[in-house]
Amino acid sequence: MMLRQKDLLGLRSLSKAEIELVLDTAKPCKQIFERPVKKFPTLRGKVVVNLFYEASTRTRTSFELAGKWMSADVINISASSSSVVKGESLADTAKTLEALGADIVVMRHSASGSAHLLARSIKSRVINAGDGRHEHPTQGLLDLFTIQERKGRIEGLTVTIIGDILHSRVARSDIWGLLKLGATVRVAGPPTLLPPGLADWGIEIYHDVDRAIDGADVINVLRIQMERQASGLFPSLREYSALYGITKERLRNAKDDVMIMHPGPANLGVEITQEVVDDPRSVVRDQVSNGVAVRMALLYLMSGGDVSELENAD
Amino acid sequence: MSLKTLIKGVSLWSSAGFIHEQDVLIGDGRLLRIGRGLAETNAVTIDGRGWVGLPGLVDLHSHLGEPGREDRETLESGLLAAAWGGFTAVLGMPDTDPALDSETGIGYVLRRGDLIRGARILVCAAATKGRNGKELAELGRLQSAGAAAAGDAKPIRDASIVRRILEYTRMLDIPVLIEARDEGLSSGGVAHEGIQGGWLGLSGIPASAEWIALARDLLLAEEAGGRIHVQGVSTGRSLALIREAKSRGVRVSAECSFHHLILDDGALADYDTAKKLMPPLRPRRDVEALIEGVKEGVIDCVVTDHTPITPEEKDVEFDYAPFGAAGYEAALVALHTHLVRPGLLSWSELANATSLRPRAALGIEQPQFVDGERCDMVLFNPEPEYTLDAATWKSKARNTPFDGTRVVGRVEGVFLGDQVFGPLETEVEA
C-alpha cells in the first residue's frame, strides 16, 4: 500500500486507509527514540527542503530532525513573506528548489492554498506544513497518532476542539482526520471564531465550553492568536480566558481519564494554564515526540518506502 | 470589385424567433440578400448548415487595459478578441490609469477604437472625479464627448454621492452603473462566505455585502429618479430586490457575468486563481437562481466582465492574486457548452441577454436580418467539441477558468460592416 497522491496537501483528500497507513508506519519510527544511534539509512541521498515562509520553531525542527534521522540531506530555508515584495514569486522559488534536486519540499506559508500552488508548480513531492488557515496535515496526523497511542483507538471517541476554529488549520486537519476515522467531533468557541457553514460539517457545535467538555474523551485546546482581538473578533483576552480558558477547575466536569492536547506554542494563562499542561492527563510533550515519528513515516512513505521494510530494519 | 460571400443554410435568430435554412449573401459590408436557394456566381460559398446566426453580441462590462495597463490588454488586442468572441460592441469601464473622467481620456479611447480592427468601443465615464467616490465628474461634458454610461467601476461608499449621481444624470438620461457591494463587509474577503470557503480557509465575502448595497442603491434610485444599472449580480436573493424595484417602477436594469451562471464556489477547491472573481463565485443554489433570473428577465443582461490579468499577477497565492477573469473568447462558447446545450437556457434567452437587452440599455439600435442592412452578425457552429486553449486567443490575457476544459461550439465568423473576424476571416470578404 502506498499514498496515492504526489503530495500531502491536507487530510481532506486522504482516505481512511491512507491515514491508517501513516499511523502504522509511525509506530516503528517512534522506536528510534529508544535507540542509542538515532539513524535509519532509508533516505540516504534524498534531498528534503524545509521552506518556511512563516516563523516556526516546533514544526520546522520536527521536520528537520525527522529528515536527519532518516539520513536525508535536509536544507532549511526561511523565506520571509517580504520575498514576495522583493519580486520572487512562490512559483519561482519552487522552480529553483526543483532545479537544485529537491525530492521533497516541506512548506509553511501564511496563505491558504499556497501548498496547492507549490505542488502544481514542481515535480518534487510537497508536504504541507501549514498553509494559512486551510490545513496542517502533519499536525492532524500526529494528533491522531497521539490519541490512538494513549486511548488505543479513535473510532467511537468524542473529541472536543476548543478555541479559534475559524483561523485554525490544525482544527481543519484534526476534524477531517477524526471524522474519517470514526470519532465524534465537537467544537467549542465564540460564534465569531467559528467558520461559516460549520453546521454542515458533520460535527457538534458548542458555545458553552463546560458542556462541550462534559463526556469528552479528548480535549484539544487551540492557541488563540493575539491579533484576533485587535481585529475585533472578541473583546478581550481576559474575557476569552474566562469563557474558554481550560483550567484545573473547569476539568472537574470532565471525564476522569480525559486526555488534554495543545498543538503549541501555548499562551499559558490564556487558553490553557501551566497547571493543566503539566497535568498527568496532558499529552502535550508526547505530541512533540510523536510529531517527529509521524513526519519520519511520511518522508519515508513519500520516498516510496514500504512499511514492512522499516519494521525489519535494524 | 470585391468578392461577395454566400453563406448557405444558416438558422437566423431574431426577436421573432428562428428562421431556418437561410442563405445569406454578403457584400460591401451589407446583408445583400437573405432567403432560400440563393445562388451567386461571383461569391465565395460557405456551408453554414447547422450554424446559428445571431445579431452581434454587446458586452456591457469590459475592462480594457488601455490607457495605463497595456501589459494586461490594449485596445487593439481587446477589441480584436471581443470580435473573435462574437461581440460587435463593448462598453469599456473607466478604471483605466488615468481614470476616464475627462473629455480627453474618453476622446482618446473612442478615437483609438475607431482606428482599430475589432468590436466597436463604447465608454462608461467615471461618475466621480478620479473615481474618488466624492465629487461628481463633469458628466454633461463627458456625455457630449461620447460617454454612453456613467459609473465608477467600484462601490461608492457614501450614499449621498450615489443619490446625487442618480439625480444629476436624470437630465442626461444615461444609465448609472453601480457595483453593489458594502466594502465594510467585503473587505479582506477573497471567496464567498460559506461552507466551501470555510473548508478552504479563505476569507469570506458574505452575500449580505451585496444585498445591503443593492437595497440601498435601489432605494436611492427610487427616491432620486435616474436610470440605475446593477453590475455583477451574484446572489439569488438580489433578484427579489431587483424584481421588487422593477415592480415599483424604478428604472433599473441588472446584469450578471457568464461565470456566475456556470461556476459555483465548489470550483475553488484547487485554489485556481483564474476563479478568483469579484463578486465571488457563489453556491450552486445562487447559480440556479441566476439562470432563472436571466430566463425571467429580472437579470436583463449577461456580461463578460472581461478582466485581463497577466500570468505573473495571477500565478501567485490565492490571497494575493487580483480578482477577475478574461471573458471575451470564452463567454459564448462556455454559455453554449454549459447552458444552451444542456437545455438550461434557450438561444432566444441567450440572445436577449447578450444582444437585444444590452443594446436597449445603451439606447443603441438593434441590427435586423433584412436585405440591405449593414452587417452586424455572429455565426456560431454548435457542433465541434474540443479543449479550450487560451494560448490561441487574440486577447493578451489567458486568465480563464475554462482554459483546458472541454467545450462544444465555435464562433466561425463575425461580420461587422466590411470587417470579418474568426476562422472565416481568411476565406471571405464582407
Side-chain angles (χ1 to χ4, degrees), chain B residues 210-232:
Chain B
E210 182 168 310
W211 303 332
I212 286 166
L214 178 60
R216 180 195 79 168
D217 291 348
L218 290 173
L219 289 169
L220 293 171
E222 183 171 7
E223 209 168 59
R227 284 166 62 190
I228 185 169
H229 174 82
V230 185
Q231 297 188 289

Side-chain angles (χ1 to χ4, degrees), chain B residues 259-283:
Chain B
H259 292 109
H260 293 84
L261 291 174
I262 298 170
L263 300 169
D264 60 52
D265 62 347
L268 299 179
D270 60 2
Y271 295 94
D272 179 359
T273 56
K275 297 169 198 154
K276 182 177 175 182
L277 307 177
M278 184 62 89
L281 293 174
R282 301 289 187 185

Side-chain angles (χ1 to χ4, degrees), chain B residues 284-332:
Chain B
R284 186 44 52 178
R285 62 176 182 278
D286 288 309
V287 175
E288 286 164 2
L290 290 177
I291 295 171
E292 281 308 308
V294 173
K295 295 171 86 74
E296 184 190 333
V298 188
I299 305 257
D300 300 78
C301 307
V302 174
V303 300
T304 67
D305 192 1
H306 180 74
T307 308
I309 291 165
T310 64
E312 291 80 2
E313 295 172 279
K314 272 288 191 185
D315 198 12
V316 296
E317 295 83 340
F318 197 87
D319 282 349
Y320 308 153
F323 291 96
Y328 285 154
E329 288 160 277
L332 185 52

